[in-house]
Amino acid sequence: MDCVERKDPRWPLWASVKRPSRYVGAEWGLTPPKPDAPGLVRVCLAFPDVYEVGMSYLGFQIFHALLKSLPQADPERAYCPWPDMEAELRNRGKVLGTLETDRPLGAFDVLAFTLQYELSYTNLLTMLDLGGVPLHAEDRTEAHALVVAGGPGALVAEPLAPFVDAFLLGDGEVLWPSLVRTLSGLKGCPREERLRALAELPGVYVPALGIPRTPVRRQVLADLDEGFLQDRMLVPSTAIVHDRVAVQVFRGCTRGCRFCQAGMIDRPVRERSAASVCDQVKRLLDFTGWEEVGFLSLATCDWSGLEEALVRLDEILRPRSIKLSLPSLRMDAFSVELAAKLETLRKGGLTFAPEAGTQRLRDVINKGVTEEDIRASLEATFAHGWDRVKLYFMMGLPTETEEDLEGIVRIAKETVRTARAHKRRGEVAISLAGFVPKAHTPFQWEAQATREALRERGRWVKSRLIKDSKIRLSYHDPDQTFLEGVFSRGDRALAPVLEEAWRQGARFDGWTETFDLGRWLEAFERCGVDPEAYVARPRPLDVPLPWAHLDAGVTQEFLLRERARALSGELTGDCRVGACHACGFAVEECPRRGPLAGKGGKG
């Protein structure tokens, strides 16, 4: 023990908390920090959640490898400490540092947060405060890190604007090299000069300089095969949420689900070739020793290179007994047949997302799943020997009626009947999530169902399924859904509320065991902000939205057309196999119409 303590002085701190493996680091794949050199930009990649969640985020793996490859940059990582570790750090007067070297977060040139989920925003404040960085950008001096933030949350920046120096909009492979070059050339220059230089870069929004006259446009990596592809990953020394080699096969989605923010803000679709994916899988397996591979995208079964990749990978994976997983199965017989070929997926159950219980409501949200698709998927699932199915639905969707909720009950019971017809156990898990209207989607103007309405609807569905022992139903906490809705379409008036709730102890609001809506309601009252104003009423179509200065790529005209089609129950087809819908991308930006048309097989 004495030897270990002398080797790393943090040992007593780790020994005083639960899950010390979250803080030890020392993963396989790390390389030593680069020595100090003129122009070297030290970057701390900060994830505002615990280690096992942050280490499962592929973006960090990509950005860490990318920054390591740049001669002018050197990255380290930090994750949000659980409340027990936060308390120990404060009691001992210690500053939060990185896993690699324990360098304080404020001592970096850039402290870069990823904003994946609105309910992690209090964790960002925790990390700033523990890392020795003033919460407010206006209070920082030349000695403090520049705080930047990216991810989907950066496209609704105002609730965090007072705390963040610069927001990065779009693909990190495009943004990071230019940001590093700019800051390397300005090393030692005044803070304001560096921020003004960042504001000149495409895709960067600096709140301290005011609302830009021209909207800041999200930056897009046009060709995934020609972009940065890492050949190494950091392998955690403890279990994480997604413990496997993760390879992204395409970005974007043209299915056009009107509730889906990712499907709107990740456009246009950009596919990777099967050869490129398979080559990267082999290199990452050789380096990491992982025993499972996961293909990532918004709808992996839509990847035109999938079947070719499966054939190519068979000779790589089978001799090593490597498993392959395909998240995002579409609800159709083809996806089930494909899953049946993969031994990995045969061991558990299959998960589908019908989203709504009736054809009418699925047409409203442009889901593109028919009653026949649902029937055929369930028939194929149980015919191929699966015993368990999980079905995701939403409640509180625009125009929802009791008949739509009854449709959820009907589909659940039909699933059990189909299983029995195939002599399978037929265990059915139903997950109900409250619908949150997201910015940059056709539903961004809609009201959100109240907490009381969501709770009542969840109980109504549960009461009609509770007698069937084969069906388990769970629904997301309406209180958390409410708060997510407030911040997902928020403005700068929410910043004082966020800070007040954090000072009152709000932490890890996305975790049920630590979430406390009471703290938030008190914070809203103290700050004189009405949270219902953000969610309870439809927003006027002719009033600028708080994120109007941030351009995700899809135009307001397109979103308004899609909203009108939703309310009239009209479907909009997939533009990769049909007509272009003029969503907002220029010809040269869209692989379907521009110079990359046809790359990867479909499009």
Side-chain angles (χ1 to χ4, degrees), residues 251-272:
R251 292 183 190 175
C253 181
T254 50
R255 291 282 181 178
C257 296
R258 293 165 180 142
F259 61 86
C260 180
Q261 186 184 57
M264 296 292 165
I265 67 174
D266 284 344
R267 293 185 177 208
V269 167
R270 293 144 288 152
E271 290 198 344
R272 289 183 61 190

mmCIF file of all heavy atoms in Angstrom, residues 251-272:
data_model
loop_
_atom_site.group_PDB
_atom_site.id
_atom_site.type_symbol
_atom_site.label_atom_id
_atom_site.label_comp_id
_atom_site.label_asym_id
_atom_site.label_seq_id
_atom_site.Cartn_x
_atom_site.Cartn_y
_atom_site.Cartn_z
ATOM 1 N N ARG A 251 -23.358 9.229 -41.163
ATOM 2 C CA ARG A 251 -23.939 10.302 -40.371
ATOM 3 C C ARG A 251 -25.158 10.846 -41.090
ATOM 4 O O ARG A 251 -25.224 10.848 -42.312
ATOM 5 C CB ARG A 251 -22.922 11.432 -40.146
ATOM 6 C CG ARG A 251 -21.765 11.035 -39.265
ATOM 7 C CD ARG A 251 -20.809 12.170 -38.985
ATOM 8 N NE ARG A 251 -19.607 11.660 -38.329
ATOM 9 C CZ ARG A 251 -18.539 12.375 -38.041
ATOM 10 N NH1 ARG A 251 -18.514 13.672 -38.342
ATOM 11 N NH2 ARG A 251 -17.500 11.820 -37.449
ATOM 12 N N GLY A 252 -26.076 11.364 -40.282
ATOM 13 C CA GLY A 252 -27.287 11.935 -40.843
ATOM 14 C C GLY A 252 -28.362 10.894 -41.057
ATOM 15 O O GLY A 252 -28.164 9.695 -40.861
ATOM 16 N N CYS A 253 -29.528 11.382 -41.456
ATOM 17 C CA CYS A 253 -30.668 10.509 -41.730
ATOM 18 C C CYS A 253 -31.655 11.295 -42.583
ATOM 19 O O CYS A 253 -31.891 12.477 -42.336
ATOM 20 C CB CYS A 253 -31.341 10.063 -40.429
ATOM 21 S SG CYS A 253 -32.750 8.959 -40.663
ATOM 22 N N THR A 254 -32.189 10.629 -43.586
ATOM 23 C CA THR A 254 -33.167 11.292 -44.453
ATOM 24 C C THR A 254 -34.557 10.688 -44.301
ATOM 25 O O THR A 254 -35.442 10.952 -45.112
ATOM 26 C CB THR A 254 -32.737 11.210 -45.926
ATOM 27 O OG1 THR A 254 -32.406 9.846 -46.235
ATOM 28 C CG2 THR A 254 -31.529 12.076 -46.188
ATOM 29 N N ARG A 255 -34.750 9.869 -43.285
ATOM 30 C CA ARG A 255 -36.088 9.323 -43.037
ATOM 31 C C ARG A 255 -37.076 10.447 -42.714
ATOM 32 O O ARG A 255 -38.263 10.340 -42.992
ATOM 33 C CB ARG A 255 -36.048 8.312 -41.892
ATOM 34 C CG ARG A 255 -35.303 7.029 -42.218
ATOM 35 C CD ARG A 255 -36.148 6.119 -43.057
ATOM 36 N NE ARG A 255 -35.469 4.864 -43.365
ATOM 37 C CZ ARG A 255 -36.027 3.871 -44.060
ATOM 38 N NH1 ARG A 255 -37.263 3.999 -44.510
ATOM 39 N NH2 ARG A 255 -35.356 2.771 -44.302
ATOM 40 N N GLY A 256 -36.581 11.493 -42.062
ATOM 41 C CA GLY A 256 -37.407 12.673 -41.847
ATOM 42 C C GLY A 256 -38.400 12.582 -40.706
ATOM 43 O O GLY A 256 -39.448 13.252 -40.753
ATOM 44 N N CYS A 257 -38.104 11.784 -39.662
ATOM 45 C CA CYS A 257 -38.994 11.761 -38.494
ATOM 46 C C CYS A 257 -39.052 13.169 -37.895
ATOM 47 O O CYS A 257 -38.018 13.754 -37.565
ATOM 48 C CB CYS A 257 -38.487 10.764 -37.461
ATOM 49 S SG CYS A 257 -38.505 9.058 -38.029
ATOM 50 N N ARG A 258 -40.233 13.695 -37.751
ATOM 51 C CA ARG A 258 -40.382 15.110 -37.413
ATOM 52 C C ARG A 258 -40.086 15.432 -35.954
ATOM 53 O O ARG A 258 -39.896 16.591 -35.601
ATOM 54 C CB ARG A 258 -41.788 15.567 -37.793
ATOM 55 C CG ARG A 258 -41.998 15.555 -39.307
ATOM 56 C CD ARG A 258 -43.440 15.642 -39.726
ATOM 57 N NE ARG A 258 -43.553 15.624 -41.182
ATOM 58 C CZ ARG A 258 -44.517 14.997 -41.858
ATOM 59 N NH1 ARG A 258 -45.472 14.348 -41.201
ATOM 60 N NH2 ARG A 258 -44.525 15.030 -43.177
ATOM 61 N N PHE A 259 -40.036 14.420 -35.106
ATOM 62 C CA PHE A 259 -39.728 14.629 -33.702
ATOM 63 C C PHE A 259 -38.231 14.554 -33.444
ATOM 64 O O PHE A 259 -37.763 14.931 -32.369
ATOM 65 C CB PHE A 259 -40.412 13.558 -32.842
ATOM 66 C CG PHE A 259 -39.952 12.154 -33.165
ATOM 67 C CD1 PHE A 259 -38.821 11.621 -32.576
ATOM 68 C CD2 PHE A 259 -40.646 11.394 -34.083
ATOM 69 C CE1 PHE A 259 -38.400 10.342 -32.902
ATOM 70 C CE2 PHE A 259 -40.227 10.118 -34.407
ATOM 71 C CZ PHE A 259 -39.085 9.588 -33.821
ATOM 72 N N CYS A 260 -37.447 14.059 -34.400
ATOM 73 C CA CYS A 260 -36.062 13.660 -34.161
ATOM 74 C C CYS A 260 -35.101 14.804 -34.463
ATOM 75 O O CYS A 260 -34.858 15.144 -35.627
ATOM 76 C CB CYS A 260 -35.717 12.439 -35.011
ATOM 77 S SG CYS A 260 -34.025 11.867 -34.785
ATOM 78 N N GLN A 261 -34.504 15.368 -33.416
ATOM 79 C CA GLN A 261 -33.551 16.449 -33.610
ATOM 80 C C GLN A 261 -32.297 15.961 -34.328
ATOM 81 O O GLN A 261 -31.796 16.624 -35.241
ATOM 82 C CB GLN A 261 -33.167 17.055 -32.258
ATOM 83 C CG GLN A 261 -32.284 18.287 -32.382
ATOM 84 C CD GLN A 261 -31.842 18.806 -31.045
ATOM 85 O OE1 GLN A 261 -31.226 18.097 -30.247
ATOM 86 N NE2 GLN A 261 -32.159 20.068 -30.765
ATOM 87 N N ALA A 262 -31.791 14.799 -33.955
ATOM 88 C CA ALA A 262 -30.574 14.291 -34.587
ATOM 89 C C ALA A 262 -30.764 14.106 -36.083
ATOM 90 O O ALA A 262 -29.855 14.385 -36.875
ATOM 91 C CB ALA A 262 -30.160 12.972 -33.939
ATOM 92 N N GLY A 263 -31.948 13.641 -36.491
ATOM 93 C CA GLY A 263 -32.209 13.437 -37.905
ATOM 94 C C GLY A 263 -32.262 14.727 -38.697
ATOM 95 O O GLY A 263 -32.086 14.716 -39.928
ATOM 96 N N MET A 264 -32.486 15.851 -38.020
ATOM 97 C CA MET A 264 -32.503 17.148 -38.684
ATOM 98 C C MET A 264 -31.131 17.817 -38.646
ATOM 99 O O MET A 264 -30.629 18.291 -39.660
ATOM 100 C CB MET A 264 -33.548 18.065 -38.025
ATOM 101 C CG MET A 264 -34.988 17.579 -38.166
ATOM 102 S SD MET A 264 -35.554 17.657 -39.889
ATOM 103 C CE MET A 264 -37.040 16.633 -39.806
ATOM 104 N N ILE A 265 -30.484 17.819 -37.478
ATOM 105 C CA ILE A 265 -29.255 18.598 -37.354
ATOM 106 C C ILE A 265 -28.018 17.852 -37.847
ATOM 107 O O ILE A 265 -26.951 18.473 -37.995
ATOM 108 C CB ILE A 265 -29.028 19.061 -35.896
ATOM 109 C CG1 ILE A 265 -28.748 17.873 -34.959
ATOM 110 C CG2 ILE A 265 -30.204 19.873 -35.402
ATOM 111 C CD1 ILE A 265 -28.369 18.286 -33.551
ATOM 112 N N ASP A 266 -28.123 16.559 -38.098
ATOM 113 C CA ASP A 266 -26.964 15.813 -38.606
ATOM 114 C C ASP A 266 -26.965 15.684 -40.123
ATOM 115 O O ASP A 266 -26.146 14.966 -40.684
ATOM 116 C CB ASP A 266 -26.916 14.414 -37.984
ATOM 117 C CG ASP A 266 -26.432 14.434 -36.549
ATOM 118 O OD1 ASP A 266 -25.855 15.457 -36.142
ATOM 119 O OD2 ASP A 266 -26.636 13.444 -35.835
ATOM 120 N N ARG A 267 -27.898 16.347 -40.787
ATOM 121 C CA ARG A 267 -27.926 16.275 -42.242
ATOM 122 C C ARG A 267 -26.712 16.980 -42.838
ATOM 123 O O ARG A 267 -26.130 17.844 -42.199
ATOM 124 C CB ARG A 267 -29.227 16.909 -42.768
ATOM 125 C CG ARG A 267 -30.460 16.126 -42.395
ATOM 126 C CD ARG A 267 -31.696 16.709 -43.031
ATOM 127 N NE ARG A 267 -32.869 15.892 -42.709
ATOM 128 C CZ ARG A 267 -33.946 15.781 -43.475
ATOM 129 N NH1 ARG A 267 -34.001 16.433 -44.619
ATOM 130 N NH2 ARG A 267 -34.955 15.029 -43.115
ATOM 131 N N PRO A 268 -26.342 16.648 -44.088
ATOM 132 C CA PRO A 268 -26.922 15.624 -44.950
ATOM 133 C C PRO A 268 -26.371 14.238 -44.620
ATOM 134 O O PRO A 268 -25.412 14.117 -43.855
ATOM 135 C CB PRO A 268 -26.464 16.062 -46.347
ATOM 136 C CG PRO A 268 -25.145 16.711 -46.096
ATOM 137 C CD PRO A 268 -25.295 17.420 -44.771
ATOM 138 N N VAL A 269 -26.978 13.197 -45.203
ATOM 139 C CA VAL A 269 -26.470 11.840 -45.028
ATOM 140 C C VAL A 269 -25.114 11.726 -45.707
ATOM 141 O O VAL A 269 -24.940 12.128 -46.853
ATOM 142 C CB VAL A 269 -27.445 10.804 -45.610
ATOM 143 C CG1 VAL A 269 -26.779 9.437 -45.719
ATOM 144 C CG2 VAL A 269 -28.679 10.705 -44.734
ATOM 145 N N ARG A 270 -24.148 11.187 -44.969
ATOM 146 C CA ARG A 270 -22.818 10.924 -45.527
ATOM 147 C C ARG A 270 -22.410 9.523 -45.135
ATOM 148 O O ARG A 270 -22.272 9.219 -43.947
ATOM 149 C CB ARG A 270 -21.807 11.938 -44.991
ATOM 150 C CG ARG A 270 -22.044 13.373 -45.473
ATOM 151 C CD ARG A 270 -21.729 14.379 -44.410
ATOM 152 N NE ARG A 270 -22.721 14.372 -43.347
ATOM 153 C CZ ARG A 270 -22.468 14.710 -42.090
ATOM 154 N NH1 ARG A 270 -21.256 15.066 -41.734
ATOM 155 N NH2 ARG A 270 -23.428 14.687 -41.190
ATOM 156 N N GLU A 271 -22.279 8.661 -46.123
ATOM 157 C CA GLU A 271 -21.960 7.263 -45.869
ATOM 158 C C GLU A 271 -20.462 6.998 -45.974
ATOM 159 O O GLU A 271 -19.756 7.659 -46.733
ATOM 160 C CB GLU A 271 -22.677 6.359 -46.877
ATOM 161 C CG GLU A 271 -24.167 6.265 -46.699
ATOM 162 C CD GLU A 271 -24.734 5.052 -47.418
ATOM 163 O OE1 GLU A 271 -24.019 4.485 -48.276
ATOM 164 O OE2 GLU A 271 -25.871 4.673 -47.111
ATOM 165 N N ARG A 272 -20.016 5.993 -45.228
ATOM 166 C CA ARG A 272 -18.681 5.445 -45.410
ATOM 167 C C ARG A 272 -18.761 4.197 -46.274
ATOM 168 O O ARG A 272 -19.777 3.501 -46.280
ATOM 169 C CB ARG A 272 -18.042 5.108 -44.065
ATOM 170 C CG ARG A 272 -17.658 6.316 -43.252
ATOM 171 C CD ARG A 272 -16.965 5.909 -41.974
ATOM 172 N NE ARG A 272 -15.752 5.171 -42.234
ATOM 173 C CZ ARG A 272 -15.042 4.538 -41.308
ATOM 174 N NH1 ARG A 272 -15.464 4.552 -40.050
ATOM 175 N NH2 ARG A 272 -13.945 3.900 -41.620
#
